[in-house]
Amino acid sequence: MKRKPSTEATAAWIRLMRVQSRVLDCVEQDLKKAGFPPLAWYDALLELSRAPSGELRPVELERQMLIPQYSTSRLIDRLVDEGLASRRECKIDKRGQFVEITEAGRELQKRMWSAYSAAIEKYVGSKLSDADAVKLSGLLDRLGCSCGEMKLPPAANVNESTPPR
Amino acid sequence: MKRKPSTEATAAWIRLMRVQSRVLDCVEQDLKKAGFPPLAWYDALLELSRAPSGELRPVELERQMLIPQYSTSRLIDRLVDEGLASRRECKIDKRGQFVEITEAGRELQKRMWSAYSAAIEKYVGSKLSDADAVKLSGLLDRLGCSCGEMKLPPAANVNESTPPR
DNA sequence: TCAAGATTGATGCAGGTGCATCGAGTGGGG
DNA sequence: CCCCACTCGATGCACCTGCATCAATCTTGA
């Protein structure tokens, strides 16, 4: 008799939870040991640096990063405190504001990418052939119902220092 | 020229992070909406209920669940506060103790499994064929270097109410 | 034009987590 | 036998998160 979640599905669920938390932990540790702030800071800086003029509305950032509103608000606080971003008022909508990445922010993002990319290679790239990485992505995407687009860099002359998204 | 982490590996990393957090979030929300405590409580109760006489040393629990020591300590505090487990002193090692699941704890674990298994089916099982679930598990395992054994239920007459691990 | 509702962003509070450290207890070598 | 190193578990602190809610502003529709 078939059980509702098959043992196969249940096993996959457990792996997904365990492996992700383990791998994320390893990467975060490497970053921290190199003296860098948490990954969330990198993600935010990357989004900002990619924005047309280096600035975004908090609500945009929130949608890009898929984190709750209050979380965005406080993350911006910390970035601003550290001089990595600055707030600008929004003339056309006085409720809102713009958050603009600073030069220091851009620089930190670049420096983090070298440690970050090394960690990705160490904990993911080196464990999987490119073909397997593609298979894994495909299987994961099937779970990520309505998970958003997730465009990669425009595939231009990316050669080094190419940040992920 | 090859970049250090290939785009394929980077894409897989991003999916892994995003999909896991999304799926975990959905499952936790379903549990919470059904009035249940967090998944970590379920994991702990399951480990305890599986132990030979329904009790474990905190240090064992810690190793099974792969969470830090202080986290285990406080999780046990909460289970005890809610009457789901109780602490017993350990005669043979007076530093240590035993944590024993109570009847209420066993019952909660069983009730949670029905909501939990439904959520797994909803967010994982229904999205993937069994064969694909196996492929996904296999790929994830390759990342989980030294991630521990992760034995599934002894494959006895499991028919319903079979908890995962 | 104006009131009702939606949207933007901040924040008080409760609770969870990581880090460092502590005290108690064990066990092995001199 | 005793001391030192180690293990076990708890806890103070800082920080982070989720939740609810707030004030300010914008938008819509009668």
Side-chain angles (χ1 to χ4, degrees), chain A residues 109-123:
Chain A
Q109 183 267 314
K110 288 197 190 74
R111 280 189 299 122
M112 284 184 79
W113 173 239
S114 45
Y116 186 16
S117 60
I120 294 175
E121 173 60 18
K122 177 171 164 192
Y123 298 110

Side-chain angles (χ1 to χ4, degrees), chain A residues 47-56 106:
Chain A
E47 291 303 332
L48 290 174
S49 72
R50 291 192 159 181
S53 45
E55 63 188 5
L56 282 176
R106 286 186 191 274

Side-chain angles (χ1 to χ4, degrees), chain A residues 77-89:
Chain A
D77 282 348
R78 287 169 222 138
L79 295 180
V80 170
D81 283 350
E82 298 296 326
L84 302 168
S86 62
R87 294 183 206 263
R88 279 203 321 103
E89 74 167 310

Side-chain angles (χ1 to χ4, degrees), chain B residues 3-142:
Chain B
R3 263 153 301 148
K4 272 197 302 188
S6 63
T7 24
E8 290 82 0
T10 303
W13 155 262
I14 293 170
R15 255 71 162 191
L16 180 58
M17 295 302 117
R18 290 227 204 255
V19 171
Q20 185 275 353
S21 91
R22 179 168 191 78
V23 175
L24 176 58
D25 224 64
C26 291
V27 171
E28 288 264 28
Q29 283 306 317
D30 279 15
L31 270 273
K32 171 175 286 194
K33 272 184 288 193
F36 289 120
L39 262 184
W41 291 36
Y42 175 84
D43 290 340
L45 290 175
L46 177 61
E47 291 303 333
L48 290 174
S49 71
R50 290 192 160 182
S53 45
E55 62 187 6
L56 282 176
R57 298 283 298 260
V59 67
E60 301 294 341
L61 192 55
E62 179 189 330
R63 281 192 267 265
Q64 294 292 324
M65 298 182 62
L66 305 173
I67 60 181
Q69 179 269 321
Y70 51 79
S71 189
T72 314
S73 180
R74 293 196 255 237
L75 177 53
I76 294 171
D77 283 348
R78 286 168 223 139
L79 295 180
V80 170
D81 283 350
E82 298 296 326
L84 301 168
S86 62
R87 294 183 206 263
R88 280 203 319 102
E89 75 167 311
C90 174
K91 307 283 187 195
I92 58 177
D93 184 343
K94 283 196 288 199
R95 286 169 307 186
Q97 62 190 227
F98 281 103
V99 179
E100 185 175 11
I101 190 170
T102 63
E103 219 20 73
R106 286 187 191 274
E107 202 223 324
L108 177 61
Q109 184 267 313
K110 288 196 190 75
R111 280 188 300 122
M112 285 183 80
W113 174 239
S114 44
Y116 187 15
S117 59
I120 294 176
E121 173 60 18
K122 178 171 164 192
Y123 298 109
V124 179
S126 69
K127 307 288 182 66
L128 243 36
S129 69
D130 282 359
D132 285 339
V134 169
K135 278 190 208 130
L136 178 55
S137 290
L139 289 167
L140 288 171
D141 277 345
R142 307 245 306 269

Side-chain angles (χ1 to χ4, degrees), chain A residues 65-86:
Chain A
M65 298 183 60
L66 304 173
I67 60 181
Q69 178 270 320
Y70 51 79
S71 190
T72 314
S73 179
R74 293 198 255 238
L75 177 54
I76 293 170
D77 282 348
R78 287 169 222 138
L79 295 180
V80 170
D81 283 350
E82 298 296 326
L84 302 168
S86 62

Side-chain angles (χ1 to χ4, degrees), chain A residues 16 83 102 118 133 141-142 147 155:
Chain A
L16 179 59
T102 63
D141 277 345
R142 306 244 307 269
C147 182

